[in-house]
Amino acid sequence: MKKDAHYYIQHLGLEQHPEGGFYKSSFASLHGMDVDGKKRHLFTSIYFLLESGDVSHFHRLKSDEVWYFHGGSPLIVHVIDEAGNYTEMKLGLDIENGEMPQVIVPRNSIFGSSTIEGGTFSLVGCMVSPGFDFEDFELFTQEQLMESYPQHEKVIGQLAYRTL
C-alpha cells in the first residue's frame, strides 16, 4: 500500500497548524532552562507535513530550529535572515542534487516552506531549542514584509498571508 499524506495525517494524529500544513508535538524535553525569567523546555520536537501545493507561511521564532526529512517529496525551506538575505534550502535525500537530510534555521530568521513543484507531500520533523512556545511565534503579512524586503517580492507573494 502506497502511503500518502492522509495516511500520515491520520496515523500520526496530525492537526492543522496556524502557519499552514499539519503538525503534532512529538517530544518535549523533561529538562528545562531559564529564558528571560521564564522556564522553558530545553528542546521540543514536532512532526510537520505539507501537502502538494500547500505552504508554511512566513513566520519567525526566537529559537533555532533544526528540520529533518522523513519522507515524501523534498521540501524547500525559504529563509530571510536578520540581514535581509534570502536563501532556499532543499530538505530531502538526493544529496547529489543539492538536497540535505537536515537543515538549520537560525533564530530570528523569517522563514516558511513549500513542497517542490510536482511533489506529493513532505513529512519532516522540526526540533526547536530552547523549546517552542507560541509566545515566540510571529506570523507575517505580505504588507509587513514588503516594507522591509521589497527585493523579495516574488517569494513574499507566495509565502506570506495577504492579511491575518
Side-chain angles (χ1 to χ4, degrees), residues 10-106:
Q10 179 183 0
H11 286 86
L12 294 175
L14 306 180
E15 300 174 6
Q16 288 193 317
H17 197 290
E19 77 195 39
F22 296 85
Y23 82 110
K24 180 179 182 179
S25 176
S26 59
F27 185 77
S29 172
L30 296 177
H31 300 284
M33 63 189 305
D34 182 70
V35 177
D36 298 326
K38 183 177 177 186
K39 178 104 168 154
R40 297 280 292 275
H41 294 285
L42 189 59
F43 70 93
T44 57
S45 187
I46 64 168
Y47 291 115
F48 184 72
L49 183 142
L50 277 183
E51 294 182 279
S52 178
D54 285 346
V55 300
S56 163
H57 291 90
F58 272 132
H59 60 287
R60 178 170 41 207
L61 299 178
K62 294 179 182 176
S63 298
D64 295 324
E65 185 167 45
V66 183
W67 291 55
Y68 302 94
F69 183 77
H70 290 311
S73 300
L75 185 78
I76 300 172
V77 181
H78 305 264
V79 180
I80 301 173
D81 67 22
E82 288 187 275
N85 301 306
Y86 170 75
T87 56
E88 285 184 8
M89 297 180 283
K90 264 193 182 175
L91 192 60
L93 299 178
D94 191 355
I95 295 167
E96 293 172 357
N97 286 309
E99 297 173 12
M100 296 301 296
Q102 77 178 36
V103 299
I104 299 168
V105 177

